[in-house]
PDB file of all heavy atoms in Angstrom:
ATOM      1  N   ILE A   7      83.350 154.965  69.647  1.00 76.00           N
ATOM      2  CA  ILE A   7      83.382 153.848  68.703  1.00 76.00           C
ATOM      3  C   ILE A   7      84.285 154.181  67.521  1.00 76.00           C
ATOM      4  O   ILE A   7      85.094 153.356  67.083  1.00 76.00           O
ATOM      5  CB  ILE A   7      81.960 153.515  68.218  1.00 76.00           C
ATOM      6  CG1 ILE A   7      81.143 152.916  69.364  1.00 76.00           C
ATOM      7  CG2 ILE A   7      82.001 152.546  67.034  1.00 76.00           C
ATOM      8  CD1 ILE A   7      79.682 152.696  69.030  1.00 76.00           C
ATOM      9  N   ALA A   8      84.146 155.402  66.992  1.00 76.00           N
ATOM     10  CA  ALA A   8      84.979 155.828  65.865  1.00 76.00           C
ATOM     11  C   ALA A   8      86.460 155.833  66.254  1.00 76.00           C
ATOM     12  O   ALA A   8      87.319 155.395  65.477  1.00 76.00           O
ATOM     13  CB  ALA A   8      84.548 157.217  65.392  1.00 76.00           C
ATOM     14  N   GLN A   9      86.748 156.312  67.463  1.00 76.00           N
ATOM     15  CA  GLN A   9      88.133 156.366  67.919  1.00 76.00           C
ATOM     16  C   GLN A   9      88.705 154.968  68.101  1.00 76.00           C
ATOM     17  O   GLN A   9      89.840 154.685  67.705  1.00 76.00           O
ATOM     18  CB  GLN A   9      88.218 157.138  69.242  1.00 76.00           C
ATOM     19  CG  GLN A   9      89.641 157.348  69.748  1.00 76.00           C
ATOM     20  CD  GLN A   9      90.486 158.155  68.775  1.00 76.00           C
ATOM     21  OE1 GLN A   9      89.984 159.047  68.104  1.00 76.00           O
ATOM     22  NE2 GLN A   9      91.763 157.822  68.681  1.00 76.00           N
ATOM     23  N   ARG A  10      87.922 154.063  68.693  1.00 77.00           N
ATOM     24  CA  ARG A  10      88.391 152.691  68.886  1.00 77.00           C
ATOM     25  C   ARG A  10      88.633 152.003  67.554  1.00 77.00           C
ATOM     26  O   ARG A  10      89.589 151.234  67.392  1.00 77.00           O
ATOM     27  CB  ARG A  10      87.367 151.897  69.713  1.00 77.00           C
ATOM     28  CG  ARG A  10      87.321 152.291  71.181  1.00 77.00           C
ATOM     29  CD  ARG A  10      86.592 151.232  72.002  1.00 77.00           C
ATOM     30  NE  ARG A  10      85.197 151.119  71.639  1.00 77.00           N
ATOM     31  CZ  ARG A  10      84.216 151.790  72.226  1.00 77.00           C
ATOM     32  NH1 ARG A  10      84.484 152.641  73.210  1.00 77.00           N
ATOM     33  NH2 ARG A  10      82.966 151.626  71.853  1.00 77.00           N
ATOM     34  N   THR A  11      87.764 152.288  66.577  1.00 80.00           N
ATOM     35  CA  THR A  11      87.925 151.695  65.248  1.00 80.00           C
ATOM     36  C   THR A  11      89.209 152.178  64.599  1.00 80.00           C
ATOM     37  O   THR A  11      89.983 151.390  64.022  1.00 80.00           O
ATOM     38  CB  THR A  11      86.725 152.049  64.355  1.00 80.00           C
ATOM     39  OG1 THR A  11      85.522 151.568  64.964  1.00 80.00           O
ATOM     40  CG2 THR A  11      86.875 151.425  62.974  1.00 80.00           C
ATOM     41  N   LYS A  12      89.478 153.484  64.680  1.00 80.00           N
ATOM     42  CA  LYS A  12      90.703 154.036  64.107  1.00 80.00           C
ATOM     43  C   LYS A  12      91.941 153.438  64.760  1.00 80.00           C
ATOM     44  O   LYS A  12      92.925 153.110  64.089  1.00 80.00           O
ATOM     45  CB  LYS A  12      90.709 155.560  64.263  1.00 80.00           C
ATOM     46  CG  LYS A  12      89.695 156.283  63.393  1.00 80.00           C
ATOM     47  CD  LYS A  12      89.739 157.784  63.626  1.00 80.00           C
ATOM     48  CE  LYS A  12      88.698 158.513  62.790  1.00 80.00           C
ATOM     49  NZ  LYS A  12      88.713 159.981  63.050  1.00 80.00           N
ATOM     50  N   GLU A  13      91.903 153.303  66.080  1.00 76.00           N
ATOM     51  CA  GLU A  13      93.048 152.740  66.796  1.00 76.00           C
ATOM     52  C   GLU A  13      93.277 151.280  66.416  1.00 76.00           C
ATOM     53  O   GLU A  13      94.418 150.845  66.247  1.00 76.00           O
ATOM     54  CB  GLU A  13      92.822 152.864  68.304  1.00 76.00           C
ATOM     55  CG  GLU A  13      92.856 154.308  68.810  1.00 76.00           C
ATOM     56  CD  GLU A  13      92.482 154.417  70.272  1.00 76.00           C
ATOM     57  OE1 GLU A  13      92.087 153.383  70.861  1.00 76.00           O
ATOM     58  OE2 GLU A  13      92.591 155.527  70.836  1.00 76.00           O
ATOM     59  N   ALA A  14      92.187 150.516  66.285  1.00 78.00           N
ATOM     60  CA  ALA A  14      92.303 149.106  65.918  1.00 78.00           C
ATOM     61  C   ALA A  14      92.875 148.960  64.512  1.00 78.00           C
ATOM     62  O   ALA A  14      93.737 148.106  64.255  1.00 78.00           O
ATOM     63  CB  ALA A  14      90.945 148.428  66.016  1.00 78.00           C
ATOM     64  N   LEU A  15      92.404 149.796  63.576  1.00 80.00           N
ATOM     65  CA  LEU A  15      92.914 149.748  62.210  1.00 80.00           C
ATOM     66  C   LEU A  15      94.386 150.131  62.164  1.00 80.00           C
ATOM     67  O   LEU A  15      95.172 149.536  61.413  1.00 80.00           O
ATOM     68  CB  LEU A  15      92.091 150.682  61.319  1.00 80.00           C
ATOM     69  CG  LEU A  15      90.641 150.278  61.067  1.00 80.00           C
ATOM     70  CD1 LEU A  15      89.910 151.362  60.274  1.00 80.00           C
ATOM     71  CD2 LEU A  15      90.574 148.957  60.328  1.00 80.00           C
ATOM     72  N   ALA A  16      94.762 151.125  62.975  1.00 78.00           N
ATOM     73  CA  ALA A  16      96.158 151.553  63.021  1.00 78.00           C
ATOM     74  C   ALA A  16      97.060 150.433  63.549  1.00 78.00           C
ATOM     75  O   ALA A  16      98.164 150.209  63.041  1.00 78.00           O
ATOM     76  CB  ALA A  16      96.304 152.804  63.886  1.00 78.00           C
ATOM     77  N   ARG A  17      96.587 149.710  64.571  1.00 77.00           N
ATOM     78  CA  ARG A  17      97.361 148.598  65.121  1.00 77.00           C
ATOM     79  C   ARG A  17      97.528 147.488  64.104  1.00 77.00           C
ATOM     80  O   ARG A  17      98.610 146.911  63.955  1.00 77.00           O
ATOM     81  CB  ARG A  17      96.681 148.052  66.379  1.00 77.00           C
ATOM     82  CG  ARG A  17      96.839 148.933  67.614  1.00 77.00           C
ATOM     83  CD  ARG A  17      96.510 148.168  68.883  1.00 77.00           C
ATOM     84  NE  ARG A  17      95.151 147.672  68.858  1.00 77.00           N
ATOM     85  CZ  ARG A  17      94.103 148.364  69.306  1.00 77.00           C
ATOM     86  NH1 ARG A  17      94.271 149.585  69.808  1.00 77.00           N
ATOM     87  NH2 ARG A  17      92.891 147.862  69.258  1.00 77.00           N
ATOM     88  N   CYS A  18      96.437 147.179  63.392  1.00 77.00           N
ATOM     89  CA  CYS A  18      96.505 146.136  62.364  1.00 77.00           C
ATOM     90  C   CYS A  18      97.488 146.504  61.271  1.00 77.00           C
ATOM     91  O   CYS A  18      98.286 145.680  60.816  1.00 77.00           O
ATOM     92  CB  CYS A  18      95.120 145.899  61.761  1.00 77.00           C
ATOM     93  SG  CYS A  18      93.947 145.112  62.892  1.00 77.00           S
ATOM     94  N   LYS A  19      97.439 147.770  60.859  1.00 78.00           N
ATOM     95  CA  LYS A  19      98.338 148.224  59.810  1.00 78.00           C
ATOM     96  C   LYS A  19      99.785 148.173  60.270  1.00 78.00           C
ATOM     97  O   LYS A  19     100.680 147.763  59.527  1.00 78.00           O
ATOM     98  CB  LYS A  19      97.966 149.650  59.402  1.00 78.00           C
ATOM     99  CG  LYS A  19      98.731 150.162  58.193  1.00 78.00           C
ATOM    100  CD  LYS A  19      98.224 151.529  57.767  1.00 78.00           C
ATOM    101  CE  LYS A  19      98.975 152.019  56.529  1.00 78.00           C
ATOM    102  NZ  LYS A  19      98.477 153.354  56.111  1.00 78.00           N
ATOM    103  N   ALA A  20     100.012 148.567  61.533  1.00 77.00           N
ATOM    104  CA  ALA A  20     101.369 148.539  62.085  1.00 77.00           C
ATOM    105  C   ALA A  20     101.895 147.110  62.203  1.00 77.00           C
ATOM    106  O   ALA A  20     103.093 146.859  62.061  1.00 77.00           O
ATOM    107  CB  ALA A  20     101.382 149.215  63.453  1.00 77.00           C
ATOM    108  N   ASP A  21     100.988 146.151  62.440  1.00 74.00           N
ATOM    109  CA  ASP A  21     101.388 144.749  62.571  1.00 74.00           C
ATOM    110  C   ASP A  21     101.481 144.047  61.226  1.00 74.00           C
ATOM    111  O   ASP A  21     101.751 142.839  61.161  1.00 74.00           O
ATOM    112  CB  ASP A  21     100.388 143.993  63.458  1.00 74.00           C
ATOM    113  CG  ASP A  21     100.434 144.479  64.903  1.00 74.00           C
ATOM    114  OD1 ASP A  21     101.472 145.059  65.285  1.00 74.00           O
ATOM    115  OD2 ASP A  21      99.441 144.284  65.628  1.00 74.00           O
ATOM    116  N   GLY A  22     101.199 144.783  60.158  1.00 74.00           N
ATOM    117  CA  GLY A  22     101.305 144.206  58.825  1.00 74.00           C
ATOM    118  C   GLY A  22     100.123 143.359  58.420  1.00 74.00           C
ATOM    119  O   GLY A  22     100.203 142.564  57.477  1.00 74.00           O
ATOM    120  N   ILE A  23      99.009 143.520  59.128  1.00 70.00           N
ATOM    121  CA  ILE A  23      97.810 142.749  58.801  1.00 70.00           C
ATOM    122  C   ILE A  23      97.091 143.411  57.641  1.00 70.00           C
ATOM    123  O   ILE A  23      96.807 144.606  57.674  1.00 70.00           O
ATOM    124  CB  ILE A  23      96.867 142.660  60.015  1.00 70.00           C
ATOM    125  CG1 ILE A  23      97.585 141.960  61.176  1.00 70.00           C
ATOM    126  CG2 ILE A  23      95.582 141.930  59.655  1.00 70.00           C
ATOM    127  CD1 ILE A  23      96.770 141.939  62.451  1.00 70.00           C
ATOM    128  N   LYS A  24      96.788 142.642  56.629  1.00 65.00           N
ATOM    129  CA  LYS A  24      96.094 143.171  55.463  1.00 65.00           C
ATOM    130  C   LYS A  24      94.625 143.393  55.794  1.00 65.00           C
ATOM    131  O   LYS A  24      93.943 142.492  56.273  1.00 65.00           O
ATOM    132  CB  LYS A  24      96.218 142.201  54.286  1.00 65.00           C
ATOM    133  CG  LYS A  24      95.681 142.784  52.976  1.00 65.00           C
ATOM    134  CD  LYS A  24      95.933 141.835  51.823  1.00 65.00           C
ATOM    135  CE  LYS A  24      95.429 142.425  50.509  1.00 65.00           C
ATOM    136  NZ  LYS A  24      95.656 141.518  49.374  1.00 65.00           N
ATOM    137  N   LEU A  25      94.159 144.604  55.569  1.00 62.00           N
ATOM    138  CA  LEU A  25      92.787 144.961  55.893  1.00 62.00           C
ATOM    139  C   LEU A  25      91.862 144.747  54.705  1.00 62.00           C
ATOM    140  O   LEU A  25      92.302 144.655  53.564  1.00 62.00           O
ATOM    141  CB  LEU A  25      92.720 146.426  56.345  1.00 62.00           C
ATOM    142  CG  LEU A  25      93.612 146.794  57.536  1.00 62.00           C
ATOM    143  CD1 LEU A  25      93.556 148.281  57.804  1.00 62.00           C
ATOM    144  CD2 LEU A  25      93.199 146.006  58.780  1.00 62.00           C
ATOM    145  N   GLY A  26      90.569 144.708  54.984  1.00 60.00           N
ATOM    146  CA  GLY A  26      89.586 144.553  53.919  1.00 60.00           C
ATOM    147  C   GLY A  26      89.104 143.117  53.799  1.00 60.00           C
ATOM    148  O   GLY A  26      89.604 142.203  54.453  1.00 60.00           O
ATOM    149  N   ARG A  27      88.135 142.920  52.927  1.00 54.00           N
ATOM    150  CA  ARG A  27      87.557 141.596  52.737  1.00 54.00           C
ATOM    151  C   ARG A  27      88.560 140.655  52.110  1.00 54.00           C
ATOM    152  O   ARG A  27      89.277 141.019  51.177  1.00 54.00           O
ATOM    153  CB  ARG A  27      86.319 141.691  51.827  1.00 54.00           C
ATOM    154  CG  ARG A  27      85.655 140.333  51.567  1.00 54.00           C
ATOM    155  CD  ARG A  27      84.408 140.504  50.712  1.00 54.00           C
ATOM    156  NE  ARG A  27      84.720 141.086  49.411  1.00 54.00           N
ATOM    157  CZ  ARG A  27      85.168 140.391  48.372  1.00 54.00           C
ATOM    158  NH1 ARG A  27      85.377 139.093  48.477  1.00 54.00           N
ATOM    159  NH2 ARG A  27      85.405 140.989  47.221  1.00 54.00           N
ATOM    160  N   ARG A  28      88.620 139.455  52.625  1.00 54.00           N
ATOM    161  CA  ARG A  28      89.509 138.467  52.036  1.00 54.00           C
ATOM    162  C   ARG A  28      89.025 138.091  50.639  1.00 54.00           C
ATOM    163  O   ARG A  28      87.827 137.888  50.436  1.00 54.00           O
ATOM    164  CB  ARG A  28      89.551 137.208  52.910  1.00 54.00           C
ATOM    165  CG  ARG A  28      90.265 137.418  54.229  1.00 54.00           C
ATOM    166  CD  ARG A  28      90.211 136.174  55.067  1.00 54.00           C
ATOM    167  NE  ARG A  28      88.827 135.890  55.439  1.00 54.00           N
ATOM    168  CZ  ARG A  28      88.467 134.822  56.153  1.00 54.00           C
ATOM    169  NH1 ARG A  28      89.364 133.966  56.562  1.00 54.00           N
ATOM    170  NH2 ARG A  28      87.199 134.634  56.450  1.00 54.00           N
ATOM    171  N   PRO A  29      89.919 137.998  49.673  1.00 49.00           N
ATOM    172  CA  PRO A  29      89.515 137.658  48.302  1.00 49.00           C
ATOM    173  C   PRO A  29      88.712 136.369  48.259  1.00 49.00           C
ATOM    174  O   PRO A  29      89.091 135.367  48.868  1.00 49.00           O
ATOM    175  CB  PRO A  29      90.859 137.500  47.574  1.00 49.00           C
ATOM    176  CG  PRO A  29      91.820 138.325  48.384  1.00 49.00           C
ATOM    177  CD  PRO A  29      91.367 138.181  49.801  1.00 49.00           C
ATOM    178  N   GLY A  30      87.606 136.428  47.553  1.00 45.00           N
ATOM    179  CA  GLY A  30      86.808 135.232  47.355  1.00 45.00           C
ATOM    180  C   GLY A  30      85.836 134.923  48.467  1.00 45.00           C
ATOM    181  O   GLY A  30      85.100 133.946  48.391  1.00 45.00           O
ATOM    182  N   ARG A  31      85.804 135.748  49.518  1.00 49.00           N
ATOM    183  CA  ARG A  31      84.932 135.437  50.642  1.00 49.00           C
ATOM    184  C   ARG A  31      83.467 135.437  50.252  1.00 49.00           C
ATOM    185  O   ARG A  31      82.723 134.515  50.559  1.00 49.00           O
ATOM    186  CB  ARG A  31      85.169 136.442  51.779  1.00 49.00           C
ATOM    187  CG  ARG A  31      84.364 136.122  53.022  1.00 49.00           C
ATOM    188  CD  ARG A  31      84.680 137.106  54.111  1.00 49.00           C
ATOM    189  NE  ARG A  31      83.886 136.824  55.296  1.00 49.00           N
ATOM    190  CZ  ARG A  31      83.913 137.569  56.390  1.00 49.00           C
ATOM    191  NH1 ARG A  31      84.686 138.637  56.460  1.00 49.00           N
ATOM    192  NH2 ARG A  31      83.165 137.254  57.432  1.00 49.00           N
ATOM    193  N   THR A  32      83.047 136.509  49.550  1.00 46.00           N
ATOM    194  CA  THR A  32      81.652 136.578  49.123  1.00 46.00           C
ATOM    195  C   THR A  32      81.326 135.471  48.135  1.00 46.00           C
ATOM    196  O   THR A  32      80.268 134.878  48.166  1.00 46.00           O
ATOM    197  CB  THR A  32      81.362 137.950  48.480  1.00 46.00           C
ATOM    198  OG1 THR A  32      81.645 138.964  49.436  1.00 46.00           O
ATOM    199  CG2 THR A  32      79.915 138.044  48.048  1.00 46.00           C
ATOM    200  N   VAL A  33      82.296 135.184  47.245  1.00 47.00           N
ATOM    201  CA  VAL A  33      82.101 134.128  46.267  1.00 47.00           C
ATOM    202  C   VAL A  33      81.848 132.808  46.971  1.00 47.00           C
ATOM    203  O   VAL A  33      80.940 132.063  46.643  1.00 47.00           O
ATOM    204  CB  VAL A  33      83.341 134.022  45.350  1.00 47.00           C
ATOM    205  CG1 VAL A  33      83.221 132.800  44.452  1.00 47.00           C
ATOM    206  CG2 VAL A  33      83.478 135.278  44.512  1.00 47.00           C
ATOM    207  N   ASN A  34      82.667 132.508  47.978  1.00 51.00           N
ATOM    208  CA  ASN A  34      82.526 131.247  48.693  1.00 51.00           C
ATOM    209  C   ASN A  34      81.154 131.135  49.342  1.00 51.00           C
ATOM    210  O   ASN A  34      80.515 130.084  49.287  1.00 51.00           O
ATOM    211  CB  ASN A  34      83.617 131.130  49.766  1.00 51.00           C
ATOM    212  CG  ASN A  34      84.992 130.943  49.155  1.00 51.00           C
ATOM    213  OD1 ASN A  34      85.099 130.551  48.007  1.00 51.00           O
ATOM    214  ND2 ASN A  34      86.027 131.227  49.912  1.00 51.00           N
ATOM    215  N   VAL A  35      80.693 132.199  49.950  1.00 61.00           N
ATOM    216  CA  VAL A  35      79.429 132.161  50.676  1.00 61.00           C
ATOM    217  C   VAL A  35      78.250 131.982  49.728  1.00 61.00           C
ATOM    218  O   VAL A  35      77.355 131.187  49.982  1.00 61.00           O
ATOM    219  CB  VAL A  35      79.249 133.457  51.499  1.00 61.00           C
ATOM    220  CG1 VAL A  35      77.856 133.515  52.107  1.00 61.00           C
ATOM    221  CG2 VAL A  35      80.302 133.540  52.590  1.00 61.00           C
ATOM    222  N   ARG A  36      78.249 132.705  48.651  1.00 73.00           N
ATOM    223  CA  ARG A  36      77.080 132.722  47.773  1.00 73.00           C
ATOM    224  C   ARG A  36      77.101 131.637  46.686  1.00 73.00           C
ATOM    225  O   ARG A  36      76.052 131.126  46.315  1.00 73.00           O
ATOM    226  CB  ARG A  36      76.966 134.087  47.091  1.00 73.00           C
ATOM    227  CG  ARG A  36      76.656 135.231  48.050  1.00 73.00           C
ATOM    228  CD  ARG A  36      75.271 135.099  48.648  1.00 73.00           C
ATOM    229  NE  ARG A  36      74.938 136.231  49.489  1.00 73.00           N
ATOM    230  CZ  ARG A  36      74.403 137.347  49.054  1.00 73.00           C
ATOM    231  NH1 ARG A  36      74.133 137.493  47.771  1.00 73.00           N
ATOM    232  NH2 ARG A  36      74.137 138.334  49.895  1.00 73.00           N
ATOM    233  N   LEU A  37      78.278 131.308  46.156  1.00 80.00           N
ATOM    234  CA  LEU A  37      78.339 130.471  44.964  1.00 80.00           C
ATOM    235  C   LEU A  37      78.914 129.079  45.190  1.00 80.00           C
ATOM    236  O   LEU A  37      78.623 128.175  44.415  1.00 80.00           O
ATOM    237  CB  LEU A  37      79.150 131.177  43.873  1.00 80.00           C
ATOM    238  CG  LEU A  37      78.601 132.532  43.420  1.00 80.00           C
ATOM    239  CD1 LEU A  37      79.492 133.133  42.356  1.00 80.00           C
ATOM    240  CD2 LEU A  37      77.178 132.409  42.912  1.00 80.00           C
ATOM    241  N   THR A  38      79.726 128.904  46.228  1.00 79.00           N
ATOM    242  CA  THR A  38      80.313 127.593  46.473  1.00 79.00           C
ATOM    243  C   THR A  38      79.230 126.552  46.689  1.00 79.00           C
ATOM    244  O   THR A  38      78.279 126.767  47.438  1.00 79.00           O
ATOM    245  CB  THR A  38      81.232 127.639  47.710  1.00 79.00           C
ATOM    246  OG1 THR A  38      82.317 128.524  47.444  1.00 79.00           O
ATOM    247  CG2 THR A  38      81.788 126.263  48.019  1.00 79.00           C
ATOM    248  N   GLY A  39      79.388 125.428  46.003  1.00 78.00           N
ATOM    249  CA  GLY A  39      78.394 124.368  46.098  1.00 78.00           C
ATOM    250  C   GLY A  39      77.410 124.378  44.950  1.00 78.00           C
ATOM    251  O   GLY A  39      76.618 123.448  44.794  1.00 78.00           O
ATOM    252  N   HIS A  40      77.473 125.454  44.142  1.00 82.00           N
ATOM    253  CA  HIS A  40      76.550 125.576  43.003  1.00 82.00           C
ATOM    254  C   HIS A  40      77.296 125.465  41.668  1.00 82.00           C
ATOM    255  O   HIS A  40      76.805 125.914  40.640  1.00 82.00           O
ATOM    256  CB  HIS A  40      75.814 126.916  43.061  1.00 82.00           C
ATOM    257  CG  HIS A  40      74.962 127.074  44.277  1.00 82.00           C
ATOM    258  ND1 HIS A  40      73.747 126.442  44.430  1.00 82.00           N
ATOM    259  CD2 HIS A  40      75.162 127.788  45.417  1.00 82.00           C
ATOM    260  CE1 HIS A  40      73.222 126.766  45.596  1.00 82.00           C
ATOM    261  NE2 HIS A  40      74.063 127.575  46.227  1.00 82.00           N
ATOM    262  N   GLU A  41      78.488 124.835  41.701  1.00 82.00           N
ATOM    263  CA  GLU A  41      79.299 124.755  40.481  1.00 82.00           C
ATOM    264  C   GLU A  41      78.556 124.072  39.329  1.00 82.00           C
ATOM    265  O   GLU A  41      78.570 124.553  38.197  1.00 82.00           O
ATOM    266  CB  GLU A  41      80.617 124.007  40.771  1.00 82.00           C
ATOM    267  CG  GLU A  41      81.620 124.789  41.606  1.00 82.00           C
ATOM    268  CD  GLU A  41      81.360 124.652  43.095  1.00 82.00           C
ATOM    269  OE1 GLU A  41      80.323 124.056  43.483  1.00 82.00           O
ATOM    270  OE2 GLU A  41      82.196 125.130  43.874  1.00 82.00           O
TER     271      GLU A  41
END
């Protein structure tokens, strides 16, 4: 599992995919609709 995860992250990085949580994702889930 650890090896597959490392390989997947390496492929994403090589393809220029930005890793990590998308900005505002947690905000949207928890706070959106409560303005």
Side-chain angles (χ1 to χ4, degrees):
I7 291 174
Q9 185 61 34
R10 288 196 295 268
T11 301
K12 290 179 182 178
E13 292 174 354
L15 292 175
R17 285 197 300 271
C18 290
K19 187 175 181 180
D21 293 338
I23 299 175
K24 188 175 181 180
L25 303 175
R27 180 178 61 82
R28 290 177 295 178
R31 184 178 179 183
T32 301
V33 172
N34 290 341
V35 172
R36 293 293 184 87
L37 300 179
T38 296
H40 298 284
E41 288 85 353

